[in-house]
Amino acid sequence: MNKTLTLVINCGSSSLKFALMPNESGEDPVLSGLAERLGDSDASITYKSSEGKKEESLNGGDHATALEALINHIDQKGLLASVTAVGHRVVHGGEEFHKSVLIDDKVIAAIERCSPLAPLHNPPNLLGIRVAREKLPALPQVAVFDTAFHQTMEPQAYLYALPMEYYREYGVRRYGFHGTSHRFVSDETRRMLALDPKDHGIVIAHLGNGASATAVKNGESVDTTMGLTPLEGLVMGTRSGDVDPGALVYLANRANMSINDLDNMLNRKSGLLGLSELSNDCRTLEEEAAKGHPGAKIALDVFAHRLARLIGGLAMSLDRLDAVTFTGGIGENSSLLRKMTIERLKPFGIVLDDAANEKCVRGTSGVISGATGPKALVVATNEELMIARDTLAIANASR
Ligand code: ADP
């Protein structure tokens, strides 16, 4: 008898990421991969397993074609009967969802109500849910929200100082994202440091192409750097993070930029790319900065300065700072940016252990600080595992 499995699905506008996760403690997916360019003539799906990597054309297929191909592939491997539930990543749960939920028609309607808050993300997430319910009608399906972990924030942390009517009428407030990763990594940090579940304070820095940091007090998010959208806060690959809103008004008037021009500039031309005038990729910037490229150097400096500044601000929502944990592609691999950030956290008394910092790359987790002061850690995030765990628990409770 095969081990039972949970299928994790993450649907984007033209992509579908998937992972088939064992329900037992084994953490590595049995199968994972990505369908890309869905809807285009060169749509394809790539499967990764212990047998290697395999790419197939989807002949211009859409999300439904991709999911059908995936289900057939799972069936051919003799694994379909072992799949017990499907977990879906959903980006925006607004104020409707405080935790992961079993999907029914009411849940779908509520996710639809949140779509205006994330018009590029929620509709493809819903499409994935609809197609999966149609193709796998016998299986319980669970929605896991990027925003849900941050619903514990208090009004003082989530309100903007705008006229309250915009919160009441349009839901304009801070929601925060990357919640599944922040939840996983804060649990791991607590476990690794044997912190008291009811008395701890941690700041998590999730640094990938998108980047956000969260203050976690006694297991709950109390403040985070992203806001109504994932544009607020830290410097990201191509996103600006915090900017004086007055600068946008100024540019609209002075450079005659439209709302669309500003949106495009802030989301796609800014961040590490905009500052360096070279690349949004941290690895490239590190290589070029080492050779003396001034743009690459200033981009990394602004990234580290902003990160340290916002970590400092987040810590003010805690009773005590026990640890700062780095995760995401940059957090897990860039010993340079971790060093540059920790050096800027001097007022907290964190001391970097250089040798330990150099060792924590390519998925190796560990403590990278010395014996005194708050700890600094690297933890490899695993959002698929968190989605699978929630899905399994909710599916089991529903039977
Ligand atoms: P996403 O948010 O798309 O999931 P990732 O978490 O994969 O992104 O992070 C991508 C970022 O991680 C890129 O900027 C990449 O350059 C950076 N990165 C990956 N490996 C390294 C490395 N060895 N050194 C520095 N940066 C790295």
Side-chain angles (χ1 to χ4, degrees), residues 288-304:
E288 293 304 318
K291 291 186 217 154
H293 189 289
K297 191 173 172 325
I298 197 68
L300 297 175
D301 282 341
V302 176
F303 185 102

Side-chain angles (χ1 to χ4, degrees), residues 17 27 38 57 65 111 159 250 271 289 320-321 327 334 340:
K17 270 194 224 160
E27 295 184 4
L38 296 174
S57 167
T65 318
I111 298 173
L159 284 175
Y250 175 78
R320 188 183 60 250
L321 183 64
T327 191
S334 175
M340 289 169 68

Side-chain angles (χ1 to χ4, degrees), residues 56-344:
E56 281 175 9
S57 167
L58 290 172
N59 300 315
D62 56 9
H63 290 81
T65 318
L67 198 57
E68 201 161 327
L70 172 61
I71 292 167
N72 285 341
H73 186 84
I74 295 172
D75 198 14
Q76 277 160 20
K77 287 183 145 257
L79 297 172
L80 194 55
S82 308
V83 180
T84 57
V86 185
H88 296 266
R89 176 193 180 211
V90 179
V91 168
H92 219 305
E95 290 185 337
E96 305 260 359
F97 297 102
H98 297 219
K99 54 185 190 308
S100 306
V101 289
L102 189 69
I103 295 172
D104 58 18
D105 292 344
K106 274 193 190 145
V107 165
I108 290 182
I111 298 173
E112 263 165 4
R113 284 198 294 279
C114 299
S115 284
L117 293 168
L120 298 180
H121 292 103
N122 275 27
N125 297 157
L126 276 165
L127 183 62
I129 291 173
R130 289 210 174 90
V131 173
R133 285 181 100 202
E134 195 183 299
K135 305 273 177 209
L136 300 166
L139 296 183
Q141 317 243 347
V142 170
V144 179
F145 300 89
D146 272 28
T147 50
F149 183 55
H150 303 298
Q151 280 295 301
T152 43
M153 284 195 293
E154 289 183 10
Q156 62 179 6
Y158 73 64
L159 284 175
Y160 292 115
L162 294 172
M164 283 300 278
E165 65 181 282
Y166 299 109
Y167 169 54
R168 283 193 301 268
E169 298 287 320
Y170 301 102
V172 175
R173 52 159 281 181
R174 311 182 62 256
Y175 293 93
F177 297 87
H178 290 141
T180 310
S181 174
H182 288 300
R183 185 156 56 101
F184 178 83
V185 173
S186 57
D187 285 355
E188 284 296 292
T189 302
R190 203 172 60 226
R191 196 182 55 75
M192 284 163 69
L193 297 179
L195 298 174
D196 181 343
K198 296 206 178 80
D199 181 23
H200 61 264
I202 308 168
V203 175
I204 310 292
H206 176 113
L207 313 173
N209 281 313
S212 72
T214 295
V216 178
K217 182 173 167 182
N218 308 336
E220 292 186 342
S221 168
V222 286
D223 199 0
T224 192
T225 58
M226 282 180 170
L228 173 78
T229 74
L231 190 51
E232 191 179 341
L234 302 175
V235 175
M236 310 185 210
T238 62
R239 283 182 231 149
S240 62
D242 291 342
V243 182
D244 176 359
L248 307 177
V249 176
Y250 175 78
L251 281 175
N253 289 325
R254 188 80 199 269
N256 209 16
M257 290 174 79
S258 68
I259 297 284
N260 278 347
D261 294 338
L262 291 171
D263 183 48
N264 192 37
M265 185 263 289
L266 293 167
N267 278 295
R268 282 180 277 281
K269 296 186 183 166
S270 299
L272 294 174
L273 174 66
L275 282 165
S276 67
E277 301 186 293
L278 182 68
S279 171
N280 63 323
D281 192 298
C282 179
R283 237 171 322 190
T284 308
L285 296 182
E286 287 191 17
E287 283 160 18
E288 293 304 318
K291 291 186 217 154
H293 189 289
K297 191 173 172 325
I298 197 68
L300 297 175
D301 282 341
V302 176
F303 185 102
H305 176 86
R306 173 88 54 87
L307 176 56
R309 175 149 79 96
L310 295 193
I311 289 173
L314 290 168
M316 296 308 112
S317 291
L318 305 174
D319 291 335
R320 188 183 60 250
L321 183 64
D322 291 310
V324 175
T325 306
F326 295 85
T327 191
I330 296 173
E332 292 168 34
N333 292 294
S334 175
S335 53
L336 176 68
L337 270 176
R338 294 192 302 243
K339 184 179 166 75
M340 289 169 68
T341 308
I342 291 170
E343 280 171 356
R344 289 168 163 83

